[in-house]
Amino acid sequence: MANVRLTSIQKSFAKTAVLHSISLDIASGEFISLLGASGCGKTTLLRIVAGLESVTAGAVEIDGRDVTGLPPEKRDIAMMFQSYALLPHLSVAENVRFPLRMRGIGNREEQAERVKAALETVQLGHLSERKPRQLSGGQQQRVALARAIVSKPKVLLLDEPLSNLDARLREDMQVELIEIHQRLGLTTIFVTHDQEEALSLSDRIVLLNAGRVEQEGTPAQIYSQPATGFASNFIGSANLLPAEIFEGPDGPVARFADGQALALARTETARGAVTVALRQEDLSLSAEGNGPRAKVRTRVFLGARNRYVMSLAGQPLRALTANDLDFADGQEVSLAIDPARVRIIRD
Amino acid sequence: MNDRMENLLLALPGLLLLVLAFFLPIGQMLVLSVTGPEGPLAPFVRFLSDPYYLGILWRTVRLSLLITLICGAIGFPLAYIMTKVGPRLRLWLVVMVILPLMTSVVVRTFGWMVLLSRSGLIPEMLRDMGLVGRNFALMQTETAIVIGMVQVLLPFMALSILGVLTRIDGRLEEAARTMGCSFLQTIRTVVLPLALPGIVAGSLLCFTLSASAFITPNLLGGTRIQVLAASIYKSVTATPDWPFAAAQAVILFAGIALVLVPYIKMTGARNG
Ligand SMILES: Nc1ncnc2c1ncn2[C@@H]1O[C@H](COP(=O)(O)OP(=O)(O)OP(=O)(O)O)[C@@H](O)[C@H]1O
Ligand SMILES: [Mg+2]
């Protein structure tokens, strides 16, 4: 267990700046998610914490000690690679035992026991004698996960550890990760581009956008109070519509480009040109109603729910609805939303 | 006509050439070694019961092993460095390594003779630095043979290993580092095992080529320090004794084959 402190980390490859002054304070035992679109610098940041990448400027501290110039093997971390990086010449069990062997943790029996326990955690106890190339992608990923957790490092770095698993196995592994984290209290940095995973697993989410921290906070904060258009679009994939707010007879009203208006909460203080963020799951649709009207373009069947893609004031608008609602393409529907759930992002 | 027949027909000219140019001479040599005037096995008995010739055999094997070992010890780090530097520098290194192969063996060996002779650059320098005595000589020693052969064979070793090393995912080394390996431990536990096929292939090339080498050992070792190939040459030219020369060739052939078998088995088991 150890805290991690990143101070104004900058990283450039050749002349391209990839990370712009990232500062982060991660408490001992905290489970933090780095969330962001592909190519935003998540892996790079993780590699800097691991010591695999040098920094252009800034400092990395682990457990109160400046480790900026320290090689990875001296940092007491474990990292799970996005590409797994299993050693092809070793069996599954030998791969998982590798960090124990190299760090000299425990004697042979203790190592064997820990390897067995780690492999059972990821439900792969029966494949311990196989070579990595005899495993499926998802199985390889779980071996890599077992290898990362087996040595109980001070800091656990996971680069998209569940990206290749089916929905069921993914949920199982999420539960395991939460339990491992509660049991061992390892400081964990978890990289993902799956917002639901970040929301359900972490103590804190750091939202990265093009090498900058866009917003950080608890999952609840990030979800309910996205600070920027990027944040609200990324989390809950909200619809972003340009609008203008003015004072109506019953409180503030947002008017879209085509003149239709949406009532806002009385407490809303913003005025003038803004962006209105409407979450897909917060919108309800009906054939008759007095809300703004949008035209249905297409319906996507999602099993438990339907997604309607509509257009409002020339902008695409998506809504998640119960699957018994049935509107035809081209039909005009009325939108309704709880005014308290409308987010206003000032431009 | 089915596919197999067609393929066979297409391959026939090549096969014929192979048989004529390759198997026929070897077969002839085998026959020659057992059809001497003194009886079928006499040349073999003569070779294997004469300490002089056994000494030559032992020297050939010993020097070949030493040359292979030195080539590996230089070739592996060299190949590893080549994989880590940029593409431009790598090209220069490859050119540098294979440059010796572009000149004739004889010219190259005469170059070494100039450098290593009693008044040559290297012994002079060593004498001036006071590292060796007045009588120090490099020419006509086993050391000279080893130096000359390592230069010739290094590219085979370095390029065989380079081929394998470039296909190893660099992230494996990074992963090993995050799991507590120092740089040297990473080399030992990850890079060396994965480079083994290349090391084996390079060693085979080096060993077989140095065991059958003739010009370089002959010119640098002189008549006093003979290897098997030189001894064969002498048997043919000095006292034209074809059966004895053929017997020595068969022994050389068998010796190399004996070394190849376990190697091939080992790599076969690895891939199968
Ligand atoms: N070695 C490198 N040389 C040059 N550019 C690099 C290098 N590594 C990464 N980059 C660039 O840095 C940026 C961030 O890469 P990074 O791998 O950190 O993204 P990521 O957030 O992990 O993306 P993903 O979700 O796709 O894994 C990318 O634009 C990438 O092209
Ligand atoms: Mg990545």
Side-chain angles (χ1 to χ4, degrees):
Chain A
M1 270 211 272
N3 66 325
V4 177
R5 172 174 290 153
L6 306 179
T7 321
S8 334
I9 299 282
Q10 289 179 29
K11 177 69 188 175
S12 307
F13 289 109
K15 289 248 156 49
T16 330
V18 170
L19 298 177
H20 311 268
S21 190
I22 291 194
S23 293
L24 264 185
D25 229 331
I26 302 165
S28 190
E30 193 174 17
F31 194 118
I32 195 164
S33 289
L34 298 180
L35 183 60
S38 183
C40 71
K42 305 181 297 286
T43 299
T44 306
L45 192 58
L46 212 59
R47 287 168 58 84
I48 285 172
V49 177
L52 294 170
E53 208 80 71
S54 63
V55 294
T56 308
V60 183
E61 238 176 70
I62 295 178
D63 209 6
R65 195 161 66 108
D66 187 349
V67 297
T68 315
L70 222 55
E73 69 267 21
K74 302 232 170 89
R75 293 194 179 191
D76 198 9
I77 44 113
M79 173 154 173
M80 177 179 167
F81 284 64
Q82 196 168 5
S83 58
Y84 320 147
L86 299 177
L87 300 173
H89 59 298
L90 299 181
S91 72
V92 166
E94 284 165 337
N95 259 289
V96 178
R97 192 168 79 93
F98 194 82
L100 301 177
R101 187 155 64 95
M102 298 322 293
R103 291 192 191 279
I105 300 171
N107 58 27
R108 255 179 177 283
E109 288 92 72
E110 285 162 13
Q111 288 179 356
E113 226 158 84
R114 279 170 75 157
V115 168
K116 194 157 163 272
L119 281 175
E120 262 152 30
T121 306
V122 297
Q123 306 176 13
L124 283 178
H126 57 294
L127 296 180
S128 64
E129 293 315 312
R130 293 248 188 114
K131 286 279 170 66
R133 70 185 140 83
Q134 299 167 315
L135 300 179
S136 74
Q139 288 168 338
Q140 291 180 17
Q141 191 166 38
R142 283 181 285 154
V143 174
L145 182 58
R147 192 175 67 172
I149 59 176
V150 74
S151 65
K152 300 178 187 158
K154 275 186 186 163
V155 181
L156 182 60
L157 307 170
L158 303 172
D159 198 349
E160 304 196 14
L162 311 177
S163 60
N164 214 348
L165 304 180
D166 62 66
R168 177 66 208 283
L169 208 48
R170 197 177 183 137
E171 275 169 32
D172 283 358
M173 289 302 115
Q174 288 177 353
V175 171
E176 291 291 352
L177 270 180
I178 292 173
E179 279 179 6
I180 290 168
H181 181 248
Q182 281 169 354
R183 201 168 62 236
L184 304 177
L186 306 176
T187 308
T188 307
I189 306 180
F190 180 93
V191 165
T192 179
H193 51 222
D194 180 335
Q195 44 130 338
E196 267 180 42
E197 203 165 85
L199 290 172
S200 60
L201 288 177
S202 18
D203 296 328
R204 190 147 58 104
I205 294 176
V206 175
L207 193 58
L208 291 179
N209 179 22
R212 289 196 172 77
V213 175
E214 188 81 20
Q215 189 180 3
E216 59 173 292
T218 63
Q221 279 169 351
I222 295 264
Y223 186 77
S224 59
Q225 300 151 26
T228 60
F230 175 82
S232 52
N233 194 17
F234 200 80
I235 305 270
S237 46
N239 300 289
L240 299 179
L241 299 165
E244 203 167 331
I245 301 186
F246 64 93
E247 196 65 46
D250 310 313
V253 177
R255 181 179 286 161
F256 301 115
D258 63 351
Q260 299 203 70
L262 180 73
L264 301 177
R266 286 187 181 280
T267 52
E268 184 55 57
T269 54
R271 294 294 179 270
V274 295
T275 301
V276 175
L278 304 172
R279 252 200 202 98
Q280 297 189 53
E281 58 268 37
D282 291 341
L283 286 170
S284 51
L285 309 181
S286 56
E288 305 298 325
N290 45 15
R293 299 190 75 81
K295 194 176 204 170
V296 173
R297 276 173 27 196
T298 165
R299 182 179 73 169
V300 183
F301 181 63
L302 300 176
R305 303 204 265 188
N306 279 334
R307 169 176 288 133
Y308 279 98
V309 182
M310 299 160 288
S311 64
L312 174 68
Q315 300 277 331
L317 182 77
R318 287 157 307 169
L320 281 172
T321 66
N323 65 359
D324 52 358
L325 275 178
D326 194 14
F327 300 116
D329 289 0
Q331 190 178 345
E332 292 238 319
V333 295
S334 170
L335 303 173
I337 185 168
D338 176 0
R341 303 199 72 106
V342 177
R343 303 240 11 112
I344 300 299
I345 297 149
R346 289 164 216 240
D347 292 335
Chain B
M1 200 165 19
N2 61 22
D3 270 5
R4 268 186 83 130
M5 282 292 288
E6 201 171 320
N7 285 343
L8 204 66
L9 218 65
L10 284 172
L12 207 57
L15 281 176
L16 270 178
L17 195 71
L18 208 64
V19 168
L20 281 178
F22 192 70
F23 290 109
L24 210 63
I26 290 184
Q28 202 179 13
M29 183 190 74
L30 281 170
V31 171
L32 205 58
S33 71
V34 292
T35 53
E38 307 148 55
L41 285 176
F44 290 97
V45 174
R46 194 164 111 217
F47 186 92
L48 294 172
S49 58
D50 188 336
Y52 173 73
Y53 288 113
L54 283 180
I56 289 178
L57 179 63
W58 170 231
R59 176 182 299 128
T60 307
V61 172
R62 186 164 42 86
L63 288 185
S64 303
L65 284 177
L66 187 64
I67 290 160
T68 307
L69 209 71
I70 294 175
C71 281
I74 302 174
F76 180 80
L78 189 63
Y80 185 77
I81 290 168
M82 285 185 197
T83 59
K84 297 295 163 189
V85 298
R88 272 181 70 102
L89 190 52
R90 181 183 324 171
L91 186 68
W92 280 113
L93 284 172
V94 170
V95 167
M96 199 188 79
V97 167
I98 59 177
L99 210 55
L101 292 185
M102 297 178 185
T103 56
S104 136
V105 191
V106 180
V107 173
R108 193 174 47 219
T109 310
F110 274 119
W112 277 116
M113 287 168 77
V114 171
L115 281 177
L116 299 177
S117 69
R118 187 165 273 277
S119 54
L121 187 66
I122 294 172
E124 281 272 271
M125 218 162 66
L126 291 175
R127 264 195 295 270
D128 287 350
M129 283 157 64
L131 293 175
V132 293
R134 289 180 53 81
N135 291 329
F136 177 76
L138 269 176
M139 270 309 290
Q140 316 217 332
T141 62
E142 292 186 351
T143 314
I145 298 179
V146 171
I147 291 174
M149 289 303 294
V150 165
Q151 189 212 10
V152 183
L153 297 180
L154 188 60
F156 295 96
M157 182 65 94
L159 295 183
S160 306
I161 297 176
L162 181 66
V164 178
L165 282 185
T166 47
R167 269 179 281 129
I168 298 178
D169 182 356
R171 272 167 295 200
L172 296 181
E173 288 171 63
E174 293 182 343
R177 296 299 291 272
T178 66
M179 291 187 280
C181 287
S182 65
F183 172 71
L184 287 178
Q185 281 174 320
T186 306
I187 299 284
R188 192 168 53 80
T189 54
V190 177
V191 183
L192 266 180
L194 291 176
L196 203 59
I199 296 174
V200 167
S203 304
L204 284 182
L205 279 172
C206 279
F207 185 84
T208 52
L209 287 175
S210 55
S212 55
F214 166 66
I215 297 174
T216 304
N218 208 34
L219 290 180
L220 293 177
T223 43
R224 211 163 45 82
I225 301 180
Q226 271 193 357
V227 293
L228 205 46
S231 169
I232 295 170
Y233 178 75
K234 208 178 85 186
S235 300
V236 175
T237 52
T239 51
D241 187 348
W242 281 95
F244 189 55
Q248 290 179 74
V250 169
I251 287 168
L252 180 61
F253 184 78
I256 291 174
L258 226 61
V259 178
L260 290 186
V261 170
Y263 263 140
I264 290 167
K265 274 229 164 98
M266 195 168 81
T267 44
R270 218 157 246 289
N271 298 335

